[in-house]
Amino acid sequence: MPTARTTASKTAAAPLIGVAFMLGAMASLPFIDVLAKFLGQQNVPVLQIVWARLTIGALVALPFALSHNGPRGLIPKRPAYHSFRAGFLILATFCFFLSLKYLPIADALAIFFVQPLVVTVLSALVLKESVGRNRWAAVAVGFIGTLIIIRPGFVALNPGSLLALAAGTFLAIYFVMTRKISGQAPAMVTTFQTNVIGAAFMTLTMPLIWHHPTPTQWLMFAGLGTIATFGHYLIVRAYDYSEASLLAPLAYTEMIIATAVGWYFFGDFPDALTFLGVAVLIACALYITLTERTRATPDAIEQP
């Protein structure tokens, strides 16, 4: 029988375990972008890359989902709603992967970080949540940070910037829809349902654009789905041990890893103004996160 001291020790260690899970997730997720960028450079259609990410993700999540509720639990209670929600995840993933054809990974991810600001706006307009003046001010300043990164009118507008911005917006809509069904099923079950619905949609397009993958490309496909599924699983596990207010700021360590892998694999490095815009965005997103600690959910931090 565990003693009181043992229980207290486990409780004291829980935040550190949560931090470790979160850092592990943030260290792994940028490699999704590395694989997607490599595949895009090899002329694999972006739609096929999205299909692979969702299909392999569904296969990886299947045994975990079955362990929760069995076969009956795999069918969503509101299939139309889940299908619509999965559509926004497909759009977000497609736009982000396509943006990697035009932008370095760190630049695309920097613009993609606009999503917490868009979630705040949509929470007020769609979910009718109360948003105070300070948070509206943070959204406005965060928008300025996005403009610093994109710099419209000062440099030739890169289509990748618009695609990354669209990806962040679509994923924000996906998050808002996720909030409405939070708690209705275990996270891995919801992950499976989203992936399998998205994969079904994408499979319909494959006969039109199918590129015969090489064995190496099949391995990269497998890596996409596996890293995505387990990366998000680590996030969920992190929230089992630690509070959202502790974990949310750690999500921005992904920028550090993304910058490092972008430089290592592709020789890309963001310029000074991009770092300034990222700093503004992160500061605003952190402010919003810390003022919403009681509303935060494990789905609030995710990547396509």
Side-chain angles (χ1 to χ4, degrees):
M1 178 181 294
T3 64
R5 177 176 295 181
T6 302
T7 303
S9 176
K10 288 182 179 179
T11 303
L16 293 178
I17 296 173
V19 166
F21 276 128
M22 193 67 170
L23 291 177
M26 294 306 104
S28 61
L29 290 177
F31 287 93
I32 299 173
D33 308 330
V34 170
L35 292 171
K37 193 172 181 75
F38 271 130
L39 287 164
Q41 290 178 341
Q42 296 171 20
N43 297 318
V44 178
V46 175
L47 284 176
Q48 191 171 351
I49 300 172
V50 177
W51 168 84
R53 181 256 183 266
L54 294 170
T55 302
I56 302 299
L59 292 174
V60 172
L62 178 59
F64 298 95
L66 284 171
S67 68
H68 283 290
N69 297 319
R72 291 185 179 181
L74 301 182
I75 303 174
K77 295 180 180 179
R78 300 167 61 186
Y81 185 89
H82 279 272
S83 298
F84 194 50
R85 175 173 162 271
F88 281 107
L89 180 61
I90 290 172
L91 287 171
T93 308
F94 174 80
C95 288
F96 189 78
F97 284 174
L98 187 58
S99 75
L100 296 177
K101 284 195 169 188
Y102 303 96
L103 291 175
I105 292 173
D107 289 41
L109 192 60
I111 300 170
F112 184 73
F113 273 155
V114 74
Q115 58 175 277
L117 310 182
V118 180
V119 167
T120 299
V121 173
L122 293 178
S123 295
L125 298 179
V126 178
L127 300 180
K128 306 302 180 184
E129 294 180 355
S130 176
V131 177
R133 285 180 294 181
N134 290 342
R135 279 165 57 200
W136 280 121
V139 169
V141 174
F143 180 69
I144 294 172
T146 305
L147 293 179
I148 292 173
I149 299 170
I150 299 176
R151 279 162 270 171
F154 295 94
V155 295
L157 190 60
N158 190 316
S161 299
L162 297 179
L163 286 165
L165 189 62
T169 302
F170 286 135
L171 199 66
I173 297 172
Y174 167 81
F175 286 154
V176 170
M177 296 186 72
T178 298
R179 281 187 180 181
K180 286 203 166 190
I181 59 171
S182 62
Q184 294 183 11
M188 194 57 85
V189 173
T190 302
T191 298
F192 168 79
Q193 292 170 347
T194 302
N195 283 344
V196 78
I197 292 171
F201 285 145
M202 297 308 300
T203 299
L204 297 176
T205 69
M206 288 304 99
L208 303 175
I209 54 91
W210 183 257
H211 163 89
H212 291 286
T214 65
T216 300
Q217 289 169 348
W218 276 115
L219 287 175
M220 287 194 278
F221 283 166
L224 273 176
T226 303
I227 294 171
T229 301
F230 280 105
H232 296 154
Y233 172 76
L234 289 175
I235 293 173
V236 173
R237 292 294 290 150
Y239 278 87
D240 287 340
Y241 287 94
S242 302
E243 294 182 356
S245 57
L246 173 63
L247 296 176
L250 298 177
Y252 297 101
T253 60
E254 185 179 355
M255 265 303 300
I256 301 172
I257 306 300
T259 300
V261 298
W263 171 78
Y264 181 81
F265 288 104
F266 306 105
D268 298 326
F269 200 80
D271 59 22
L273 280 177
T274 298
F275 276 117
L276 175 61
V278 169
V280 173
L281 267 178
I282 289 177
C284 294
L286 285 179
Y287 176 81
I288 291 171
T289 299
L290 293 174
T291 56
E292 287 192 81
R293 67 167 64 190
T294 58
R295 298 178 186 175
T297 68
D299 293 304
I301 302 168
E302 191 173 345
Q303 184 178 339

